[in-house]
Amino acid sequence: MHGAHGIGYEVYKRKHEVRMQVEKKREQDYKESRRMIAALDRRVHANI
């Protein structure tokens, strides 16, 4: 938790605002990774 988000689990557990910020960032990261995977997938299948 600390390495990825810069906060410890105890702070994450206790502070709702921090938890919401972490979860929002996680969702953004997930969406971005899905976009990158889709782009790579299009490139792979376009070259077949």
Side-chain angles (χ1 to χ4, degrees):
M1 177 69 73
H2 195 276
H5 303 288
I7 60 155
Y9 187 71
E10 285 299 315
V11 174
Y12 174 84
K13 217 166 55 169
R14 279 187 271 128
K15 296 194 176 190
H16 182 263
E17 296 155 4
V18 171
R19 211 168 32 246
M20 291 297 104
Q21 288 173 349
V22 168
E23 294 306 321
K24 186 175 182 178
K25 176 78 167 94
R26 280 183 178 172
E27 186 174 351
Q28 290 170 346
D29 290 347
Y30 174 77
K31 287 178 180 178
E32 181 61 27
S33 69
R34 297 306 300 168
R35 281 193 288 270
M36 290 186 329
I37 290 169
L40 286 171
D41 198 38
R42 283 191 298 274
R43 286 183 184 178
V44 167
H45 288 102
N47 293 327
I48 294 178

